[in-house]
Amino acid sequence: MILETERLIIREYGEDDWESVHRYASDPNVTRHMLWGPNTLQETKAHIASMLAMQSRVPRTGFEFAVTLKETGELIGGVGLHMEGSNGEIGYCFHPGFWGQGYACESARAMLELGFGQLGLHRIYATCRPENGGSERVMQKLGMRKEGHLREHLLSNKGGYVDSHLYSILVQEYGET
């Protein structure tokens, strides 16, 4: 599957993508607000292997994509959509050299289109750690509404439980953004 936006090609991961992914997945600044990381080389390769396995599942309920620049083909991050019933969850992670340029919004918007337009979802949500203002702004720009503050609901591999802010958008609201 390949999705195209104004500036991006959003494509399935390939075996050779591990090096580009590892450049940001091993960066403590990138993973500061994530439940995982910073990745070891083995963890990044295992992640790519799990993304490849996801591509062949039937029925497919998870989509993880490499985000590449249309102009150069450079892999700059990842975006995903995971479904459960009529709900979907989106997420995104980018190399810090590409933060603040609208790529997270652009790729996440493609996930909304995939979820609502092609997969028939009713509601799509996303979460972020409360201190991750950049991610929260992405959700707001997508037209998502804040549903709440989830207290210590996830266990981080870094030790301890973390809070999250929860945002969502409904299919009928998506046309309004």
Side-chain angles (χ1 to χ4, degrees), residues 21-87:
V21 171
H22 193 64
R23 277 196 279 280
Y24 64 85
S26 62
D27 184 335
N29 196 36
V30 171
T31 64
R32 178 179 61 213
H33 302 301
M34 301 296 194
L35 298 174
W36 53 270
N39 279 7
T40 64
L41 185 57
Q42 293 77 18
E43 288 169 330
T44 299
K45 287 183 175 183
H47 171 71
I48 294 296
S50 70
M51 297 305 99
L52 296 174
M54 182 186 300
Q55 294 169 14
S56 62
R57 288 198 186 114
V58 177
R60 189 164 179 186
T61 58
F63 299 85
E64 287 287 338
F65 297 106
V67 178
T68 64
L69 295 176
K70 189 182 279 188
E71 194 172 290
T72 65
E74 180 180 4
L75 193 156
I76 62 169
V79 66
L81 170 67
H82 295 267
M83 303 180 307
E84 188 171 324
S86 62
N87 284 279

